Each structure stands twice: as C-alpha cells, then as structure tokens.
Amino acid sequence: MNYPLFVESDHTTKYKAFRRHYPRELYTKILEFYFNTTNLNLDDSDKKIPCALDVGCGSGQATVDLSHYCHRVIGIDGSENQLKNAPLKENIEYQCQIAENLTFLPSNSIDLVTVAIALHWFNIQTFFEQVDHILKPNGGVLSIWCHETSLDNLKADEILKNLSIYDLRSCWNDKTQIVIENYESIIDKFPYQQTKIKHLIEHEEEMSIDQFVNMIETWSLCQTYRKRYGEEKLKQLLETFTNNLAKCYAESSNDINSNNNNNAISDKKMIVKWTVHLHLMKKQ
C-alpha cells in the first residue's frame, strides 16, 4: 500500500467519529451468497460465518458489523492510529498488517474476506494473489464494495459533485478515478470471475449539514488538500461548502429563510443517499 493516508491521530479520531456504518442489507447479501440461500432474515438466522478477514478495516466500522454475523473477525489496517480507534469485542482481533502481505495467516484458513471502500489503495494484483492463498476453497467468499453519495436537494447535490470534481481536483491521484468509477475499470481483474455477482443497494440517512460536512472532511481528498494547502485553506473550503449547502436547503424550506444565521441552518436535517456497489465472488 503506497499511499500513507488515514494515519495522523487527529484525522483517525475524526474518521471514527464521523464515518458511517453500512446498511444491514449489505450483510444480508453477503450471508445469502455465502450460505447459498435467499430471503435470509438476519434477526432470525442462527447462521454465522466461521472466520472473516476485514482488510483495510480503518477504525472498524465494517469489522464491528461483521462481528454480529461471524464467529470470529480479524481486522487489519496499515495505520496503527486507525486501529487504536477501533472498538474492541471478544470475537474481533485487530492487527497492523498490509493488504499485500497476508502471509501471517495460514493458507486456506479464511471463510470470508471483505474490503470496504479500500481496494483502490491496494496493489490490486498482489492483493488478489494473497486472497487466493488464504481463502478457503469450495466456497470461501471475497466481498468488495464502494459507494456513491448524493443528496435529496438537486442544487445541493450539484454542489457536492463540484466539491469532488472541481474544488478537490488538484488532490486526485491515480487511485481516485478507480473509486469514482465504482471499480468498473478494474472489474476484469477481479478473481473468480465465473462466480462473480453484483448488487446495488440503496441506503439513506437523515443527517444535519454539520454532520455531513464532518463526514466529508474524513475523505482522503480532504486530507491531501490539508497537507498540500494547509489547515486554514481546508477550513475555508469546507466553510464555503457548508454555507452553500445551507443556502440550498434554506431556499427549499418553509421554516428556514436566508435571513437565519448559519449555525441554525447548518443544524437543519438533510437526507443523504448512498448507492452501495457490492461485488461478491467465490473461490472454487
């Protein structure tokens, strides 16, 4: 992993505080694929996957979710500060390891490998070779996902797109385009092509404008912007972004008008929408 992001203590603390968890439907699809079944009810099911490896786990958002559906979960990340912020549970083990070297695990020992919005940071070919070494044959599952973010206000959604495509454009690297394209440009590099399937999962959440902007600040693009232009420049960029969002929602609201102060407007609730692109494949 050649991109040392998500490593500074201040950033990893914010990452834990403001990054969101993933929808239950995502885990339903993973378990249904693993157990070769349909219409699985997570609340009623006593089926659990024996051992999962969550690669690039960060501060444990997906790792903790997986712990409800797996007997044992190993979360790995290249950032020690990320792992320090990860919640502890009896059936979770965290290790500071990189995706390109999974030799600390026995061959054919893992039932499920998950990668939550991290694949684009890896040396993909090397990672897939490592996965093939540690994933159990005859049914071991590799699960990879990323997501798109949109807003319920058309003008606000355009401002969000402009932030990523224009305002932060100078901070793009060769990995950025891969995730913006939802991994479509590297689909042919995925292993186990004969078993591969894809799900699109729609998910939405009510958040305040401030909560949403705090989440945006955890983006790697914002971290790169901070390093390149300084803390004050990033603060100014996000303040402008916040004010522009507030104006959009003020214009579309009957109870908030443009004369309100920004603090009141930034507390306004908004609907944030995610489309999760979930790729599932099995080792035969």
Side-chain angles (χ1 to χ4, degrees), residues 164-193:
S164 175
I165 296 174
Y166 298 109
D167 297 334
L168 296 171
R169 175 66 179 176
S170 64
C171 298
W172 285 24
N173 55 49
D174 60 333
K175 303 291 187 178
T176 306
Q177 189 67 34
I178 296 175
V179 70
I180 285 179
E181 295 172 348
N182 299 305
Y183 298 155
E184 291 299 322
S185 62
I186 59 171
I187 289 296
D188 61 341
K189 297 182 180 180
F190 283 17
Y192 320 129
Q193 288 281 332

Side-chain angles (χ1 to χ4, degrees), residues 216-232:
I216 294 297
E217 190 179 352
T218 68
W219 284 4
S220 61
L221 288 174
C222 287
Q223 183 182 358
T224 301
Y225 191 97
R226 175 186 282 114
K227 289 181 177 179
R228 187 167 296 175
Y229 303 110
E231 182 70 31
E232 189 59 32

Side-chain angles (χ1 to χ4, degrees), residues 15 27 62 93 133 180 190 275:
Y15 194 99
Y27 301 103
E93 171 190 342
H133 177 70
I180 285 179
F190 283 17
T275 301

Side-chain angles (χ1 to χ4, degrees), residues 177-220:
Q177 189 67 34
I178 296 175
V179 70
I180 285 179
E181 295 172 348
N182 299 305
Y183 298 155
E184 291 299 322
S185 62
I186 59 171
I187 289 296
D188 61 341
K189 297 182 180 180
F190 283 17
Y192 320 129
Q193 288 281 332
Q194 291 184 336
T195 65
K196 182 172 66 65
I197 64 171
K198 178 180 178 180
H199 295 285
L200 291 178
I201 300 170
E202 303 290 340
H203 171 61
E204 60 182 45
E205 182 178 347
E206 187 179 70
M207 303 172 68
S208 71
I209 292 175
D210 276 349
Q211 287 174 324
F212 181 67
V213 174
N214 283 330
M215 185 190 71
I216 294 297
E217 190 179 352
T218 68
W219 284 4
S220 61

